Amino acid sequence: MSKALYIAEKPSVAQEFAKALKSGGQRRDGYIESDTCVVTWCVGHLVELASPESYDEKYEKWRYDDLPILPSQWNYQIAAATRKQFSILKKLMEREDVEGLVEATDAGREGELIFRLVYNQVKCKKPFERLWISSMEDQAISDGFSHLRNGREYDNLYQAALCRERADWIVGMNATRLFSTLYGQTLNVGRVMTPTLAMIVQREAEIEGFKPEPIYRLSISCGGITALSDRFENKQDAEKILNRLKEEKTAQVTKIDPADKQEKAPQLYSLTALQRDANRYLGFTAQQTLDYTQSLYEKKLVTYPRTDSRFLTEDMEGMIPNLAQKMAHKFGFTKNVQVHAEQVINNSKVSDHHAIIPTVNVADAEFGELPSGEQKVLSLITARLLAALGDAAVRNEVDVEFTCADTVFRAKTKNIREKGWREIQDWIIGSKADSTDSEEENEDKRGNAEMLACIAAMTNGRSYPLQNPKMEEGKTTPKKHFTEDSLLSAMERAGADEMPEETERKGIGTSATRAATIEKLVRIGFVERKGNKKTKYLMPTHKGVALITVMPEQIQSPSMTAEWEQKLLDVEKGNFQDTEFMSEIEDMITDLVKTYKVIEDAEVLMHPAMEEIGICPCCGQHVIERQKGYSCENRGCNFVLWKQNKFFEALGKKMTKQTAIKLLTDGKVALKGCKSKKTGNTYDTTVVMTVDENQRAIFELNFEKGEAKYGKGKSKKN
């Protein structure tokens, strides 16, 4: 009896597919089998691009003369950690009773690549169909299996995925080796990572180079309203007008302009929009938000997360009212919920997947059993769905202008007259916990109400007593450091000004990859997170600044990378040849290798002066602080005091700079409040340092008179 082989991306998803197929299969080593089908999984990328040395042994050493490395035929290898699962898939694909396959990896570019690389590595020729779903709900899975598509319909998607993977390899391998060999240290370069770093470095350069300029404004009080002039750049000009104002008795009302302005309901969440709000409101990193949302997807509580769309499709319109009512009831919102489904429907703005929304399963879920992070992200997604369906908010704004001494003074007040969509959004994401507004909000409301009352008593064209004219002095301010929220926005908009308005995808990276790009920059030491618990800023390290300083424009340009992203999308749509895309990448790298000139004095840039903290006890030269420890500047000397020091960690202490200085100066350091891991007791002691014949530091506890002693100190090497 013939069987179909279903290949998912991970075990948990495969299990759900097996349930949906109602096959009643038995769990075996690496797959689930029944009388009618076999369901297995890939565990992410099983097959990956091989390293340069697989093409030629000479590439084991990094040499400038060997660049560029441009494979004519690409080599692939099985990831070491997943060889067993690959072997299982190979055997399953080759089974005689398996006549066809179902590609059930994630419905996107990377999911396509994962399946196709395994399929091609096995040299499988059996026909395959494609499962394409945007939700892990039982009904969505069942419908998907009932409407499988011909796998070859996604050949262009696969070609785009190959182009992305191979372009990243060509740029990463060649540029990293080029700059590392030229500057004598490892400098990681990436097609998306480096332009992202360039934006962060550029922002910091603008902040550091910013010179605040003084600005001056005049203010008056008239009829109970405080109004401001436009800015003056010249203090003397402002003072001249101020002197005239002091001689005036009245100011004339020259404009009263009341208007009701509508705030349209917000759009649904794409992944990037969700990551931005989760960072702004919850302090989550982009990667945390993706991880929480992916987990909610696999629990069938939200739809597919890796989407750049903010709309739903026409065929979903009928289910929206029921979903909205269930979500409002789940979150305890008792007022009538407005559902303007037409606001979230737009087929033309949905490509692979629609916007992220909660599923109907949320209505029956035990909310309190979800991890805290998932609860918060689910609340954001649900609030955004209901807000996007809601009435517009109506804001009452009144502009008033006074003229005096040939100068216009303006005041504006605004008041939310109809909360509309804001009411339910505030309810779900936190305001429902507080029945009263904050003190600041109440003060603003009182001020607005008083100002509106004063304006209502005024008549356009009349003059009113002038009071308290004064000059306010301030300074211009620089741009703010990037947060993940603002960086994601910048990545999404990169190059937009230089592309046609109709361009579908602008920016660098994709919704699915931007979080990983940021995390990699932090992990390899080009960027660090600074700030408080509420707000973290992304700041370039010295290493990151140095890299961008020596990078040529074509590698660090966000505009060029954004153009590549658009071309990848065109490959996906069949509007651009994959061979042409790869040819452009290869030409760019070849030109870079041939024409790049080393920047003079880069040695100083790459290797900043290290702080000297003491004298080496082994050779007498200086000990300097490095990233991982305090080591001798003499490269032939082995002496080092590691910052992550097991001996000190066993005492509940760290090898701080002050501790290292004390050890180098006195050969010992007194420590208070050390903690015994065995007993939990605390004690004071002195750590004595000596060095052995191999120039390694050895530490010993010395309990001097008066110190509490809980066992004999033992010698231990650093």
Side-chain angles (χ1 to χ4, degrees), residues 461-638:
R462 287 188 59 181
S463 295
Y464 295 87
L466 174 66
Q467 296 176 316
N468 197 26
K470 60 183 179 181
M471 181 172 66
E472 299 176 358
E473 184 174 345
K475 289 184 178 181
T476 55
T477 58
K479 293 179 179 178
K480 294 183 178 180
H481 304 294
F482 274 124
T483 61
E484 295 208 21
D485 166 21
S486 57
L487 179 60
L488 286 167
S489 176
M491 292 174 75
E492 193 172 38
R493 292 182 290 103
D497 295 340
E498 301 169 32
M499 291 186 177
E501 186 62 34
E502 65 273 13
T503 300
E504 185 169 343
R505 177 178 290 157
K506 303 180 178 80
I508 59 176
T510 65
S511 290
T513 62
R514 288 177 187 130
T517 298
I518 295 171
E519 289 304 316
K520 186 173 182 179
L521 285 170
V522 174
R523 186 174 69 252
I524 63 180
F526 287 153
V527 171
E528 56 188 346
R529 291 184 173 98
K530 289 186 175 181
N532 52 41
K533 187 175 181 181
K534 185 177 180 181
T535 304
K536 292 271 195 239
Y537 297 106
L538 293 167
M539 309 282 283
T541 61
H542 179 91
K543 184 179 178 182
V545 174
L547 178 68
I548 295 305
T549 303
V550 301
M551 276 303 111
E553 178 63 21
Q554 63 261 49
I555 292 292
Q556 64 169 283
S557 169
S559 297
M560 180 175 287
T561 306
E563 185 181 331
W564 286 341
E565 293 292 350
Q566 176 59 35
K567 287 180 177 178
L568 284 172
L569 185 62
D570 288 339
V571 171
E572 194 174 304
K573 292 177 172 293
N575 298 329
F576 194 73
Q577 288 296 316
D578 57 311
T579 51
E580 189 173 347
F581 177 86
M582 292 306 300
S583 179
E584 288 185 8
I585 296 289
E586 291 180 2
D587 288 347
M588 185 274 294
I589 282 294
T590 300
D591 182 67
L592 175 67
V593 171
K594 288 180 178 179
T595 62
Y596 181 78
K597 303 296 183 185
V598 174
I599 293 178
E600 296 181 8
D601 300 323
E603 183 67 20
V604 175
L605 178 71
M606 293 292 172
H607 302 286
M610 301 291 184
E611 182 183 356
E612 299 171 357
I613 67 165
I615 300 300
C616 176
C618 297
C619 70
Q621 295 197 37
H622 291 110
V623 172
I624 57 178
E625 181 179 5
R626 300 184 190 274
Q627 185 176 355
K628 294 184 178 181
Y630 310 94
S631 59
C632 183
E633 65 180 352
N634 174 13
R635 292 289 186 177
C637 180
N638 294 325

Side-chain angles (χ1 to χ4, degrees), residues 396-438:
N396 179 236
E397 291 188 1
V398 182
D399 293 339
V400 60
E401 289 183 1
F402 302 92
T403 301
C404 186
D406 299 321
T407 304
V408 175
F409 296 83
R410 298 180 179 89
K412 176 186 283 189
T413 185
K414 58 185 178 181
N415 187 48
I416 297 292
R417 189 161 60 79
E418 296 176 19
K419 293 191 74 172
W421 60 268
R422 287 182 171 277
E423 184 171 20
I424 195 161
Q425 175 170 285
D426 291 347
W427 176 270
I428 293 177
I429 65 175
S431 294
K432 67 176 184 176
D434 302 307
S435 57
T436 58
D437 292 321
S438 69

Side-chain angles (χ1 to χ4, degrees), residues 288-321:
Q288 285 175 320
T289 302
L290 176 56
D291 292 343
Y292 292 142
T293 312
Q294 178 69 25
S295 180
L296 290 168
Y297 169 67
E298 292 175 14
K299 292 173 181 175
K300 308 184 181 186
L301 297 177
V302 302
T303 56
Y304 186 71
R306 291 171 174 82
T307 176
D308 55 10
S309 176
R310 306 193 69 174
F311 292 90
L312 306 179
T313 52
E314 290 175 2
D315 61 325
M316 301 176 71
E317 190 167 356
M319 51 76 72
I320 292 173

Side-chain angles (χ1 to χ4, degrees), residues 125-343:
K125 301 297 182 183
K126 295 176 181 179
F128 64 94
E129 295 179 288
R130 185 61 157 112
L131 173 70
W132 195 271
I133 56 175
S134 292
S135 170
M136 285 296 292
E137 293 173 278
D138 294 343
Q139 188 60 49
I141 295 172
S142 179
D143 290 345
F145 281 135
S146 299
H147 299 88
L148 293 172
R149 305 177 189 181
N150 186 322
R152 292 302 174 187
E153 292 179 18
Y154 297 90
D155 283 353
N156 287 335
L157 180 65
Y158 171 51
Q159 289 304 322
L162 276 181
C163 285
R164 193 278 310 156
E165 178 188 51
R166 292 173 178 179
D168 285 351
W169 192 96
I170 287 174
V171 174
M173 287 293 180
N174 285 285
T176 296
R177 289 182 179 221
L178 172 65
F179 295 110
S180 298
T181 54
L182 292 178
Y183 291 105
Q185 61 177 293
T186 302
L187 295 173
N188 298 92
V189 181
R191 184 182 62 87
V192 176
M193 180 182 71
T194 304
T196 303
L197 174 61
M199 289 195 295
I200 299 172
V201 171
Q202 177 63 29
R203 173 61 60 86
E204 289 309 305
E206 291 173 359
I207 293 171
E208 289 179 14
F210 180 81
K211 294 181 179 179
E213 296 178 357
I215 54 174
Y216 309 92
R217 299 181 83 172
L218 300 174
S219 69
I220 61 171
S221 294
C222 195
I225 298 170
T226 299
L228 294 171
S229 70
D230 291 336
R231 291 180 177 181
F232 290 85
E233 294 183 3
N234 188 299
K235 187 176 183 180
Q236 290 180 336
D237 292 341
E239 288 176 335
K240 286 179 183 178
I241 301 296
L242 179 62
N243 291 332
R244 289 180 60 187
L245 289 172
K246 290 178 179 178
E247 296 174 359
E248 298 285 347
K249 302 297 182 183
T250 62
Q252 183 184 26
V253 177
T254 49
K255 176 183 175 183
I256 297 179
D257 184 16
D260 282 345
K261 295 189 177 181
Q262 288 195 339
E263 290 183 11
K264 291 183 179 179
Q267 293 178 351
L268 297 171
Y269 277 135
S270 63
L271 176 58
T272 299
L274 174 61
Q275 288 169 320
R276 291 186 61 196
D277 274 5
N279 180 252
R280 184 187 303 128
Y281 299 131
L282 306 172
F284 292 163
T285 67
Q287 188 63 51
Q288 285 175 320
T289 302
L290 176 56
D291 292 343
Y292 292 142
T293 312
Q294 178 69 25
S295 180
L296 290 168
Y297 169 67
E298 292 175 14
K299 292 173 181 175
K300 308 184 181 186
L301 297 177
V302 302
T303 56
Y304 186 71
R306 291 171 174 82
T307 176
D308 55 10
S309 176
R310 306 193 69 174
F311 292 90
L312 306 179
T313 52
E314 290 175 2
D315 61 325
M316 301 176 71
E317 190 167 356
M319 51 76 72
I320 292 173
N322 178 56
L323 177 64
Q325 293 297 334
K326 285 183 177 292
M327 294 305 100
H329 182 265
K330 178 70 175 179
F331 283 85
F333 191 77
T334 56
K335 295 184 181 180
N336 186 38
V337 177
Q338 299 301 313
V339 180
H340 300 292
E342 71 280 359
Q343 295 176 174

